[in-house]
Amino acid sequence: MIWTHFGTYHRWPTFDDIDRQLWEGGLKFEKVVQQLCPALLWGLAPIIGQLPHGSQELSLSIAGAANCSSTGPATSVFLGMVRTAAAMEPAWRPAQSGEQPWLNHADMRRHPDIDSNLLTPEVLFGAAALAQNEPCFRGGSHNSDQLEWSLNFDRSIRPFADVRRLDDYWRIRERELGQERTEADNRPFSKHPDPVFTPVPTARTAVPTPEVKPAGSLSVTCNLHPLIEKVAAGRFSVGFYYDAVRSAFQAVEHRVAVLAGVDEVGEKLMGIAFGSKPDPPKITVTRSSGGSLESERNGMQFLFKGAMGALRNPRMHGPDDKDNRDEAEELLVFASFLMRRLDIEEEQRKAAASPS
């Protein structure tokens, strides 16, 4: 169902897309997904505490695709992409310091060991979509309207240099991810047990004493901004916390560049977009007025610049360290906050463009 949707629309389906199709066929998503395991599917946490947001994309791993019909061309080209990227990586000489190696359709057409009959735009796009979340690559970009794509990679592609069969690729993949992660991926999706409800007190039932939590035990939850959820949820749910955080702050950076109309990156971009002297900021992310406005402007500029310098840059230029789950959650919330402040600029522009 997921692959058919992708082949039709050149995009992965959302949870709502799949849930509705299953319901129409008399099936419940919760029951169906527990017959699968995380090794096959991206976009769901291994333990399903609650159903995904309706707009959450569900996509296939390369193992998931291998278990579908009509995916042979895409999986074959995927293996060619892996070999091609592994051959390119040692010779990569970036035009700008710290720039990651990347692969696109032109690179694929230069390698004779790949069947040229398979290199159609549709097959290449499908293979790239399967590759984006695989651990041998480091994400990428795609445009479903034009069937354009690119894949980022780094030294972690090297162990996959000679793979020509999916079982060889999967064996190396499991070795690189480690035993603990592999075992977790191969256990079926599970659901949190149903909660135990305390009966409503009656005249004959003593009212239970409320649990008193110690100071400092506050735990909060929030809904991430949709643009952060879109780029980070799939990676986070399968344990790629470092990539999830990196993708979140890349998304913030990209949105600032588009709104400001500035062809810069990182801290320099934020200085231009939110600087207030001598010219007013190009983007409004403040809510204060009066004497507090200048203070908030300066503070927000520092927050955006700090996010690039302290959080985005180290994850873009390595070394490829790991984020623990708790800190990754906190950083995604921070990225979500920055995105919501950028909504202020969007709302102002929409209001200015609408007829009075």
Side-chain angles (χ1 to χ4, degrees):
M1 190 177 288
I2 290 174
W3 184 252
T4 299
H5 188 284
F6 182 86
T8 302
Y9 300 104
H10 297 129
R11 65 170 179 83
W12 293 116
T14 64
F15 165 72
D16 277 347
D17 293 327
I18 297 301
D19 182 53
R20 288 174 182 140
Q21 288 186 63
L22 290 172
W23 185 260
E24 190 176 30
L27 300 170
K28 293 183 68 174
F29 180 90
E30 303 92 309
K31 296 293 185 183
V32 171
V33 78
Q34 289 179 67
Q35 300 177 48
L36 305 175
C37 64
L40 304 176
L41 184 65
W42 303 110
L44 288 175
I47 300 177
I48 306 170
Q50 59 183 17
L51 293 177
H53 190 279
S55 61
Q56 171 64 46
E57 283 188 350
L58 301 179
S59 58
L60 298 177
S61 70
I62 191 66
N67 281 280
C68 299
S69 60
S70 73
T71 57
T75 55
S76 178
V77 171
F78 164 80
L79 293 174
M81 288 176 169
V82 174
R83 295 196 303 275
T84 302
M88 291 172 60
E89 193 273 335
W92 181 261
R93 301 294 182 269
Q96 298 182 14
S97 177
E99 185 180 42
Q100 274 191 322
W102 52 279
L103 175 79
N104 65 14
H105 66 280
D107 299 309
M108 295 298 297
R109 297 183 185 280
R110 288 198 288 264
H111 286 263
D113 69 333
I114 302 169
D115 185 352
S116 60
N117 294 321
L118 298 179
L119 300 183
T120 65
E122 291 78 10
V123 172
L124 281 165
F125 190 76
L130 292 171
Q132 279 200 349
N133 288 325
E134 286 297 316
C136 58
F137 287 101
R138 288 289 178 258
S141 63
H142 64 278
N143 181 331
S144 58
D145 293 330
Q146 304 297 324
L147 296 185
E148 296 175 345
W149 56 272
S150 67
L151 293 169
N152 299 324
F153 56 94
D154 58 19
R155 68 192 309 274
S156 60
I157 196 76
R158 295 175 187 176
F160 301 90
D162 297 319
V163 297
R164 294 185 176 275
R165 293 164 50 92
L166 281 178
D167 54 355
D168 294 332
Y169 169 79
W170 200 256
R171 186 177 63 256
I172 298 171
R173 181 190 193 272
E174 291 185 334
R175 185 188 69 204
E176 293 300 307
L177 290 178
Q179 182 178 357
E180 182 178 348
R181 170 67 188 281
T182 297
E183 290 176 353
D185 278 354
N186 289 320
R187 286 193 291 266
F189 284 103
S190 60
K191 187 179 178 183
H192 278 302
D194 292 333
V196 177
F197 293 99
T198 303
V200 177
T202 65
R204 296 182 180 180
T205 305
V207 178
T209 303
E211 179 186 0
V212 179
K213 293 188 176 182
S217 64
L218 174 66
S219 177
V220 298
T221 59
C222 72
N223 293 321
L224 294 178
H225 189 285
L227 294 178
I228 297 299
E229 182 185 39
K230 179 179 179 181
V231 299
R235 292 173 170 85
F236 186 92
S237 67
V238 295
F240 292 162
Y241 305 133
Y242 194 86
D243 282 347
V245 173
R246 172 167 49 196
S247 298
F249 286 101
Q250 279 184 281
V252 171
E253 178 185 48
H254 175 71
R255 193 178 183 198
V256 170
V258 171
L259 287 172
V262 176
D263 187 18
E264 288 290 351
V265 296
E267 292 178 80
K268 185 174 182 180
L269 167 63
M270 302 305 157
I272 296 171
F274 302 108
S276 57
K277 293 178 181 180
D279 300 318
K282 295 181 179 295
I283 301 175
T284 299
V285 290
T286 52
R287 291 178 175 156
S288 299
S289 59
S292 298
L293 176 58
E294 187 66 20
S295 175
E296 189 183 2
R297 277 179 176 171
N298 290 335
M300 291 305 301
Q301 181 187 19
F302 291 142
L303 286 178
F304 276 90
K305 290 180 73 173
M308 296 298 106
L311 304 176
R312 178 265 193 200
N313 289 353
R315 289 166 178 78
M316 287 296 295
H317 306 313
D320 197 0
D321 297 323
K322 292 182 179 180
D323 287 316
N324 65 53
R325 181 186 179 96
D326 289 343
E327 183 167 308
E329 286 182 345
E330 292 162 353
L331 294 177
L332 291 179
V333 171
F334 178 44
S336 182
F337 164 75
L338 298 180
M339 275 295 194
R340 293 196 192 282
R341 283 306 183 104
L342 293 173
D343 287 346
I344 295 174
E345 177 68 21
E346 294 269 15
E347 291 164 2
Q348 289 187 0
R349 293 188 184 189
K350 288 178 182 177
S354 63
S356 55

